[in-house]
Amino acid sequence: GLEALQKRYAGRGFAVLGFPSNDFKGQEPGDEKQIQDFCTLTYGVKFPMFEKVHVVGTQATPLYQRLTAATGVAPAWNFHKYLVGRDGKVIAQFASKVTPDDPQLTAAIDKALAAAATR
């Protein structure tokens, strides 16, 4: 679903960025290469995948500390999504259960891209 989202909006300047984490019951035990290979071969992922990071607690990376501070919501499970504008400001956050094709998520992306196009 995330790759489909990437394809749908890439032409308008949108990008999905993946940050694997093993913070949730050992769901991502592999190293970056293993995770990248799995995502590419299993799901056809072509969007950027970064190194495995901590996303919650005191070990959370500075990026996730900022995302959590900006929204008041830390990821509770894998595939938590943050929508960040071109200006670096956090626009919204979506829990793991919100799928990439959820109308609420796509509406937020459409709105952000429309606003960016008028600037």
Side-chain angles (χ1 to χ4, degrees):
L2 292 172
E3 182 61 30
L5 197 66
Q6 169 73 22
K7 287 179 183 176
R8 177 177 174 180
Y9 290 107
R12 294 174 59 193
F14 175 83
V16 171
L17 306 176
F19 293 89
S21 177
N22 199 37
D23 287 354
F24 306 106
K25 297 190 178 187
Q27 294 285 307
E28 289 286 4
D31 63 28
E32 285 83 13
K33 172 100 171 83
Q34 292 169 321
I35 294 166
Q36 177 70 46
D37 288 348
F38 176 79
C39 291
T40 300
L41 296 172
T42 307
Y43 300 107
V45 167
K46 294 184 179 135
F47 59 80
M49 295 284 294
F50 294 85
E51 69 181 22
K52 188 163 49 172
V53 297
H54 288 286
V55 300
V56 294
T58 58
Q59 291 184 329
T61 64
L63 171 63
Y64 276 87
Q65 289 175 10
R66 289 184 192 111
L67 292 168
T68 298
T71 62
V73 180
W77 197 253
N78 289 317
F79 297 102
H80 191 100
K81 295 161 275 305
Y82 292 98
L83 180 59
V84 179
R86 290 181 183 167
D87 60 2
K89 292 182 181 170
V90 181
I91 297 168
Q93 62 81 32
F94 301 90
S96 300
K97 66 181 179 180
V98 176
T99 60
D101 62 351
D102 185 286
Q104 180 185 10
L105 175 60
T106 57
I109 294 169
D110 283 326
K111 182 178 178 182
L113 291 172
T118 62
R119 289 185 195 140

